[in-house]
Amino acid sequence: MSRRSPEPLVWLLFSGGGMAAALLVPVLLVLFGLAFPLGWLPAPDHAHLLALVGHPITKLVLFGLCALALFHWAHRFRYTLYDGLKLKQASTLIIVVCYGAALAGSAGAAAVLLMA
Amino acid sequence: MTTFHNIVVVGGGGAGLRAATAIAEANPLLSVAIVSKVYPMRSHTVSAEGGAAAVIADGDSLDEHAYDTVSGGDWLVEQDAVEAFVEEAPRELLRLEHQGCPWSRKPDGRIAVRAFGGMKKKRTWFAADKTGFHMLHTLFQTALSYSDIVRYDEWFVTKLLIDEGRVHGVVAIELATGRVETIIANAVIMCTGGCGRVFPFTTNANIKTGDGMALAQRAGAPLKDMEFVQYHPTGLPFTGILITEATRAEGGWLLNKDGYRYLQDYDLGKPTPEPVLRSMELGPRDRLSQAFMHEHAKGRTIETPYGPIVHLDLRHLGAHVIDTKLPFVRELCSKYQNIDPVKELIPVRPVVHYMMGGIHTDINGATPVEGLYAAGEVACVSINGANRLGSNSLPELLVFGARAGEAAAEYVRSLRTGPRNAVYAQGNDEERRLRAELDQRRKGTERIADLRTEMQATMEEGAGIYRDGDSLEKAAVKLHELRERFDRAAIDDHSSTFNTELISLLELDFMLDIAQSIVACAGKRTESRGAHQRTDFPKRDDEHFLSHSLVHRSGEVEYLPVTITRWPPGERVYGR
Amino acid sequence: MIKMEVTRFRPGEDDAPIVQSYEVPLRKEWAVLDGLNYIKDQLDGTLSYRWSCRMGICGSCGMTVNGKPQLSCATFLTDYAPGPVRVEPLRNFPVIRDLVVDISDFMTKLPKVKPWLIHDGEVPEDEFLQTPREMDEYKKYSMCINCMLCYSACPVYALEPEFLGPAAIALGQRYNLDSRDDGALERRDVLASAAGAWACTFVGECSTACPKGVDPAGAIQRYKLTAAVSALKDFLLPRGARR
Amino acid sequence: MSAYRQPVSAFWWLRQWSYLLFVLRELSSVFVAWFVVYLLLLVAAVGDGARAYEDFLAWSGHGWVLVLNLVATAFVLLHAVTWFALAPRAIVVPRVPPWAVLVAHYAAWALLSAGVAWVVLR
Ligand SMILES: Cc1cc2nc3c(=O)[nH]c(=O)nc-3n(C[C@H](O)[C@H](O)[C@H](O)COP(=O)(O)OP(=O)(O)OC[C@H]3O[C@@H](n4cnc5c(N)ncnc54)[C@H](O)[C@@H]3O)c2cc1C
Ligand code: SF4
Ligand code: F3S
Ligand code: FES
């Protein structure tokens, strides 16, 4: 039955990821990717960040962001390959690779966050 | 190639779709086909703007609707048909409501009605100003749910098969492939719409070439009241695009070149700021278009490259009313005339709009040819008489489409015999004729477009809003000449794939028939009534002409008395 | 005068379309369609194209004009002056002849979304009550004239012919959002299938192209959200709790 | 019927500016993914101690990393803007005009960004 199609759930993850990425990624990327390395702003000291990352709420938020953002990527990239490169024939392979990578990435993120 | 159906409906407009669903409901076992030269949702019903009349409002009554219709038609109206019509119209419109038609509503969620020309009460249902569009799409989409209705989309019917006085089907060309097919059926319902394209300046779409009228007349069914051609008072110059009567119902004014509401000079009442029913701008279309001609004669219209115009003034209605009730008018004005009716005057002139006449049918859509039915604008029942009231046509499509469908379903039930071989032979002959048209017209000398243009000019000059014996005689002579020249018309396109030049040729052939019928009837009717105004016979003459004209293929015209049930002929009074 | 470059394709004669140029008068009031009619009537009777209402409501006359899908009766020559004006058939459809394309794909897909009112229970004696506000919910989606400009603009439809496409989905949504309708569940299998709303990647060009303000892209997005939420409910709630 | 099938070029997205913009928008997801990697590297470095964190900061100052992050920022901003533009079309709240939905998204964006910056820089 097509109603069982996983498409809606994947799409929800994609959308959640899109929303999370839109809301949070720009500020984080500007801070850590540009502002600190370029010296526009003083980089926060290690202790502060350690405390921050160690806090369970931060861990939860960051995990959510990473996992959702990865699924966002997986879904969009899958369709980019279909449409942009006309690769629809390789659909199964693309699905396995994209969502598989997102799953693996999320597990990796969990590991990193738990250890930090 | 030959295929078989119980009933073939020719035309997928409002009337055709309603007829087909009526058959499917009357007897689901019947095989019904809709053959249409355009996809059904492209049919001209889609262009209707203003609305559909049916009694629903408190304080309105069936009798008043009937009286307005009878007097609006200048008593040339079958009163039993009108009584059936007004009674069934509300049911039909409600049926569409139940199928999802987005009729405009009052704040409490009930159907809203608006005023319309010649109607004494507000009774016109509307879907903003895209009524026909919403009706047609609702009908079409609902018809999709009847999976057993077979459609022949973009098939052009060229002939009705007749044997022993009975119809046996049609011959049609599939446009995409050029395939000619004999479609055998026990009954045929013609729902092919009007013929405005016989005239040069019309609100009618390119497809409205009177095919069905000509086909039926050739098959032996006479055409009725063909001299009654409706001019709508407000068309955009150049394009002929209609500015709906609803603009005036909402309170629009007609102004001459001095900014004066000239209708007050023509026995249509006194100007008031608010619209008054059956008065001034809400008078009937024939009278308004005639008033324009008088203004023009007095030099009080404005000359433009596309003919004389007057102005329609909506500015005092304000943006809110225009945007909620008349959004399409605003869209059309800005697209095609480059003006904004909220701030500017709309230039308008009378434009050929509707054919009161058509295939002669009885109250059930049956023509004198056995098994042949007709409904919609192509037919003449007649509820419209000498002048149709705006918003009566759309409900007419439904009421008489349904009636014709039911009658045809009933008719085929009793039939036992199939067609004789002669019918198949007719089909083969027609196929050969069509091939010949393609092959033998290579060396023609006349251009289709030229003949068409000349025919249209002839009709406007000879059989326009005002006619006389002389102008009609000249038109008849000219049409005769065009008929002869038609035999020498050329076709450059010899492809069998989507050959629109061949179709233009066949349509021109039909239109010439129609033009000749109109002129023949108009010449014989030596009186003035409704939309038929003879300057040489300016009075209505009930003694001789309270009867329908019936014109046959031969050009012969006979008369049929009008059925009068409850409303004896009287004076048409507006604004008093 | 203005030059019109018209794509011609004659099946059986040409393997691929060719371009033919015509000079037509440049008049203020003339739509691209008037230019084509001039060609057909005065210059070349063999040109084929569809048209009917010439007032932007029947949906027959869609063509690609200077690269963009347009209604040729509602697009004016003067907007392309001094020219040339390139007129091609609508993209993404097979070309039958000249400017005539085959839209039978849409015509077979349309009934699949059940674009008719499905009402459970009693039908009232008179009208269903529906306030103007309730009508606003779906009104815009009911404005579709089936002109196919959106299909012509949508790259996903070009690449994946299985895709139901913008207008068909918008029409399904039109009934889903109608307060008189109870058919959303019946339409879901088709609308929420892989070839339905999910195939749309929100290019958004369908809404840009639409001459009637239908906003099919919005309709699809909105449908995805509803479908996803209801799928989530199905997933989380036990069967019995569902309607 | 021998209809002509109009071919679709693999480079269809170059034909029109709006198509190109669409493809760029879709490609933004790659940079979102890159950001996740970058973030996790940072978190791992912070967890590994002050030395590792210093190394990370030095690495993030490398030319190619900077360029990559600059490009990524551009794409991520494109993502955010197009995403918010789309939101009012999908999220239809009765009686709330679409522009209000849009404004709400931008407000949330501003608020969250300020919040994150405050937490990080405190
Ligand atoms: C601009 C405009 C506005 C109007 N506004 C209103 C209004 O507000 N209220 C009102 O009541 N009336 C209005 N009318 C009148 C009304 O719309 C028409 O009378 C009515 O729609 C005709 O419907 P129909 O079903 O008879 O024919 P159409 O809708 O014209 O359909 C004709 C069908 O026949 C088919 N056909 C024709 N010839 C052939 C052939 N040879 N082979 C195969 N198929 C063929 C066509 O493909 C088409 O499907 C308006 C008319 C116009 C022109
Ligand atoms: S949604 Fe718009 S563009 Fe698409 S078919 Fe309908 S009216 Fe045409
Ligand atoms: S263009 Fe196509 S991809 Fe979706 S938003 Fe429109 S249907
Ligand atoms: S001709 Fe009808 S939409 Fe253009």
Side-chain angles (χ1 to χ4, degrees):
Chain A
M1 223 167 68
S2 56
R3 202 176 295 171
R4 292 282 160 116
S5 134
E7 211 64 53
L9 296 177
V10 198
W11 185 82
L12 273 181
L13 290 173
F14 156 78
S15 299
M19 190 60 86
L23 290 171
L24 293 175
V25 173
V27 61
L28 288 171
L29 192 58
V30 166
L31 286 177
F32 287 98
L34 298 175
F36 301 149
L38 287 170
W40 299 343
L41 288 170
D45 59 34
H46 178 249
H48 172 58
L49 281 188
L50 190 62
L52 198 59
V53 170
H55 197 287
I57 292 187
T58 321
K59 282 192 207 282
L60 207 66
V61 168
L62 288 185
F63 174 72
L65 176 63
C66 291
L68 285 175
L70 285 174
F71 274 97
H72 172 79
W73 162 80
H75 190 74
R76 247 193 183 166
F77 197 62
R78 166 185 158 206
Y79 279 100
T80 312
L81 292 178
Y82 286 179
D83 301 339
L85 300 177
K86 293 177 79 173
L87 287 179
K88 185 79 205 241
Q89 312 89 287
S91 172
T92 323
L93 181 67
I94 291 177
I95 289 179
V96 169
V97 170
C98 287
Y99 298 115
L103 267 179
S106 302
V112 169
L113 283 164
L114 280 180
M115 283 190 306
Chain B
M1 290 275 279
T2 310
T3 44
F4 299 86
H5 294 283
N6 292 109
I7 304 178
V8 164
V9 178
V10 184
L17 290 168
R18 184 63 189 95
T21 46
I23 298 163
E25 272 166 24
N27 183 354
L29 297 176
L30 293 178
S31 135
V32 193
I34 298 179
V35 184
S36 174
K37 65 178 175 179
V38 294
Y39 282 99
M41 70 280 182
R42 319 267 191 236
S43 302
H44 196 57
T45 300
V46 83
S47 313
E49 299 170 27
V55 172
I56 187 177
D58 297 336
D60 196 1
S61 71
L62 297 179
D63 278 3
E64 285 170 286
H65 189 189
Y67 179 80
D68 286 344
T69 304
V70 171
S71 59
D74 221 349
W75 276 272
L76 192 72
V77 169
E78 291 301 280
Q79 296 187 2
D80 54 343
V82 169
E83 289 187 62
F85 164 69
V86 296
E87 189 183 326
E88 287 163 33
R91 226 177 19 232
E92 285 293 334
L93 297 191
L94 275 175
R95 189 187 144 91
L96 268 187
E97 198 281 329
H98 295 152
Q99 293 172 342
C101 186
W103 296 114
S104 291
R105 306 287 173 145
K106 295 188 284 194
D108 66 357
R110 307 210 86 98
I111 301 285
V113 286
R114 67 166 36 135
F116 235 70
M119 303 270 190
K120 201 159 43 197
K121 290 279 162 66
K122 289 192 178 185
R123 65 168 70 95
T124 296
W125 304 36
F126 58 104
D129 53 358
K130 287 191 178 169
T131 310
F133 163 79
H134 285 299
M135 281 180 53
L136 185 67
H137 280 255
T138 305
L139 283 165
F140 174 62
Q141 289 165 4
T142 305
L144 292 177
S145 72
Y146 295 80
S147 49
D148 33 319
I149 297 177
V150 180
R151 289 202 330 266
Y152 293 75
D153 292 341
E154 300 199 314
W155 285 65
F156 185 93
V157 172
T158 65
K159 187 179 171 61
L160 291 174
L161 297 167
I162 304 290
D163 187 37
E164 298 184 303
R166 210 176 107 191
V167 76
H168 288 282
V170 302
V171 178
I173 312 178
E174 183 182 32
L175 290 186
T177 60
R179 191 169 95 209
V180 178
E181 187 138 316
T182 300
I183 305 175
I184 300 286
N186 305 118
V188 173
I189 309 181
M190 303 302 283
C191 299
T192 54
C195 58
R197 287 271 153 182
V198 170
F199 288 81
F201 186 61
T202 174
T203 60
N204 285 194
N206 184 38
I207 56 171
K208 300 202 72 168
T209 47
D211 308 0
M213 297 177 188
L215 286 166
Q217 197 188 35
R218 289 172 187 197
L223 304 182
K224 183 158 81 190
D225 293 342
M226 292 299 284
E227 61 273 45
F228 297 97
V229 179
Q230 178 165 80
Y231 277 76
H232 193 293
T234 57
L236 291 181
F238 179 64
T239 53
I241 288 172
L242 177 80
I243 298 303
T244 170
E245 192 160 288
T247 52
R248 285 171 280 130
E250 298 298 337
W253 298 328
L254 281 171
L255 307 177
N256 69 11
K257 88 173 197 238
D258 309 318
Y260 170 72
R261 288 174 73 184
Y262 60 91
L263 293 178
Q264 58 190 291
D265 297 355
Y266 300 96
D267 194 20
L268 282 158
K270 291 275 155 284
T272 48
E274 292 298 313
V276 173
L277 295 157
R278 271 178 79 105
S279 149
M280 287 296 288
E281 283 82 2
L282 286 180
R285 292 173 180 177
D286 53 344
R287 299 278 294 277
L288 264 58
S289 295
Q290 289 150 20
F292 172 92
M293 295 301 281
H294 291 291
E295 280 299 285
H296 180 53
K298 291 179 194 159
R300 301 203 300 208
T301 53
I302 303 160
E303 287 306 321
T304 73
Y306 301 106
I309 56 134
V310 288
H311 281 132
L312 175 63
D313 187 357
L314 304 185
R315 295 172 303 181
H316 53 285
L317 301 183
H320 180 71
V321 168
I322 293 179
D323 285 343
T324 50
K325 300 264 182 74
L326 306 164
F328 193 40
V329 167
R330 195 171 184 186
E331 182 186 326
L332 289 169
C333 284
S334 90
K335 261 243 129 71
Y336 294 94
Q337 206 70 41
N338 235 323
I339 57 165
D340 181 358
V342 172
K343 296 192 216 90
E344 290 162 283
L345 296 168
I346 309 173
V348 291
R349 56 175 294 218
V351 53
V352 170
H353 182 56
Y354 182 84
M355 193 63 196
M356 267 73 73
I359 306 170
H360 169 47
T361 73
D362 68 10
I363 195 168
N364 292 316
T367 74
V369 174
E370 208 185 314
L372 182 64
Y373 295 78
E377 192 173 340
V378 74
C380 181
V381 176
S382 147
I383 64 155
N384 298 314
N387 171 63
R388 172 181 72 102
L389 291 190
S391 76
N392 262 354
S393 170
L394 291 175
E396 180 188 357
L397 308 178
L398 304 174
V399 168
F400 292 99
R403 279 178 162 256
E406 283 155 16
E410 184 57 31
Y411 167 76
V412 299
R413 226 165 52 109
S414 59
L415 280 184
R416 285 289 164 270
T417 53
R420 302 188 309 164
N421 279 339
V423 171
Y424 298 97
Q426 273 182 38
N428 292 338
D429 286 350
E430 178 66 0
E431 184 167 353
R432 264 193 300 278
R433 175 182 81 97
L434 293 169
R435 297 256 163 277
E437 291 289 15
L438 272 188
D439 292 340
Q440 287 162 15
R441 286 185 180 270
R442 281 170 202 267
K443 294 185 289 289
T445 48
E446 299 278 357
R447 287 197 73 86
I448 295 171
D450 296 345
L451 295 175
R452 191 172 54 219
T453 311
E454 284 184 46
M455 171 196 69
Q456 291 168 337
T458 307
M459 291 306 283
E460 176 155 272
E461 261 161 53
I465 296 180
Y466 283 100
R467 322 129 168 211
D468 60 42
D470 230 29
S471 74
L472 287 163
E473 183 52 39
K474 272 195 211 125
V477 171
K478 179 74 183 179
L479 288 175
H480 189 75
E481 175 208 315
L482 290 171
R483 230 321 141 210
E484 279 178 356
R485 284 166 58 194
F486 175 79
D487 290 339
R488 300 191 294 276
I491 293 189
D492 298 328
D493 189 348
H494 306 287
S495 163
S496 53
T497 311
F498 223 96
N499 189 329
T500 49
E501 199 178 25
L502 174 64
I503 298 302
S504 303
L505 181 93
L506 297 171
E507 287 175 341
L508 177 60
D509 190 6
F510 292 146
M511 284 195 286
L512 284 169
D513 280 14
I514 303 300
Q516 288 185 310
S517 294
I518 293 174
V519 169
C521 291
K524 290 265 161 49
R525 187 177 286 273
T526 49
E527 64 153 355
S528 289
R529 182 187 296 271
H532 173 69
Q533 294 289 319
R534 294 272 305 244
T535 47
D536 45 353
F537 296 93
K539 288 252 154 9
R540 193 172 92 188
D541 176 0
D542 284 342
E543 201 181 317
H544 298 100
F545 287 107
L546 190 59
S547 45
H548 303 290
S549 46
L550 294 181
V551 56
H552 295 268
R553 181 88 205 276
S554 60
E556 181 203 338
V557 180
E558 47 174 343
Y559 290 91
L560 191 74
V562 167
T563 309
I564 291 179
T565 58
R566 294 164 52 197
W567 297 276
E571 199 196 343
R572 288 175 84 200
V573 179
Y574 293 98
R576 273 191 269 143
Chain C
M1 300 298 272
I2 186 166
K3 184 146 110 190
M4 293 184 75
E5 296 175 351
V6 184
T7 302
R8 305 295 308 267
F9 172 70
R10 284 153 300 197
E13 279 178 64
D14 310 329
D15 291 331
I18 55 165
V19 176
Q20 203 160 337
S21 296
Y22 305 92
E23 293 278 333
V24 307
L26 180 60
R27 303 234 172 94
K28 184 167 108 256
E29 299 82 0
W30 276 25
V32 170
L33 178 64
D34 293 302
L36 294 173
N37 285 341
Y38 177 87
I39 296 172
K40 176 134 191 111
D41 288 349
Q42 308 301 329
L43 308 176
D44 184 350
T46 68
L47 180 65
S48 278
Y49 50 96
R50 293 188 181 104
W51 68 288
S52 182
C53 71
R54 55 87 185 81
M55 57 191 278
I57 190 77
C58 76
S60 324
C61 68
M63 296 169 196
T64 309
V65 181
N66 276 17
K68 289 250 156 61
Q70 302 277 12
L71 294 180
S72 58
C73 72
T75 308
F76 293 85
L77 285 176
T78 41
D79 293 342
Y80 300 97
V85 190
R86 239 173 338 104
V87 187
E88 300 162 80
L90 279 183
R91 297 209 169 104
N92 302 347
F93 294 97
V95 182
I96 296 178
R97 159 97 190 257
D98 297 344
L99 301 170
V100 180
V101 295
D102 180 4
I103 63 163
S104 50
D105 178 53
F106 171 74
M107 296 304 285
T108 32
K109 280 173 183 162
L110 183 59
K112 298 202 177 131
V113 305
K114 305 199 177 177
W116 51 80
L117 200 84
I118 299 172
H119 182 76
D120 300 341
E122 285 281 297
V123 172
E125 182 100 337
D126 31 75
E127 73 268 46
F128 288 111
L129 292 185
Q130 182 171 70
T131 61
R133 186 168 275 141
E134 285 170 321
M135 184 179 289
D136 280 346
E137 273 291 292
Y138 70 88
K139 184 87 203 213
K140 133 169 122 170
Y141 305 133
S142 75
M143 291 298 179
C144 172
I145 61 173
N146 301 355
C147 66
M148 301 292 102
L149 300 195
C150 52
Y151 282 74
S152 183
C154 174
V156 171
Y157 181 61
L159 296 158
E160 200 186 327
E162 295 288 292
F163 179 35
L164 266 184
I169 301 177
L171 280 167
Q173 256 305 60
R174 172 247 175 276
Y175 284 96
N176 282 346
L177 295 173
D178 190 320
S179 61
R180 299 167 287 187
D181 182 271
D182 304 310
L185 213 60
E186 277 183 52
R187 290 184 197 101
R188 193 163 90 172
D189 281 352
V190 171
L191 287 178
S193 67
W198 304 120
C200 159
T201 50
F202 201 77
V203 179
E205 279 301 288
C206 50
S207 291
T208 313
C210 178
K212 295 289 141 185
V214 174
D215 190 15
I220 300 175
Q221 282 318 100
R222 210 174 148 182
Y223 185 71
K224 284 184 192 164
L225 192 61
T226 340
V229 169
S230 71
L232 195 65
K233 274 198 203 131
D234 281 3
F235 189 73
L236 296 178
L237 290 177
R239 276 212 151 255
R242 277 186 239 150
R243 196 173 93 81
Chain D
M1 200 163 38
S2 54
Y4 174 72
R5 302 212 165 251
Q6 306 183 71
V8 184
S9 141
F11 300 102
W12 58 268
W13 39 274
L14 283 178
R15 210 182 58 208
Q16 214 169 293
W17 168 236
S18 52
Y19 291 161
L20 184 64
L21 198 68
F22 158 74
V23 169
L24 291 179
R25 184 192 84 190
E26 298 297 286
L27 281 178
S28 70
S29 67
V30 174
F31 296 93
V32 169
W34 154 249
F35 164 79
V36 172
V37 173
Y38 187 74
L39 180 73
L40 291 176
L41 287 176
L42 167 68
V43 172
V46 170
D48 277 357
R51 268 294 292 282
Y53 176 56
E54 292 298 322
D55 289 350
F56 177 87
L57 283 181
W59 173 75
S60 69
H62 276 312
W64 70 269
V65 183
L66 272 172
V67 170
L68 186 59
N69 278 334
L70 194 69
V71 175
T73 306
F75 271 94
V76 168
L77 285 173
L78 175 70
H79 166 72
V81 169
T82 51
W83 192 265
F84 295 142
L86 179 160
R89 317 263 291 268
I91 307 169
V92 177
V93 196
R95 258 158 269 185
V96 177
W99 61 261
V101 178
L102 186 70
V103 168
H105 277 85
Y106 273 95
W109 191 24
L111 222 67
L112 273 175
S113 300
V116 167
W118 181 72
V119 169
V120 169
L121 295 171
R122 190 166 49 149

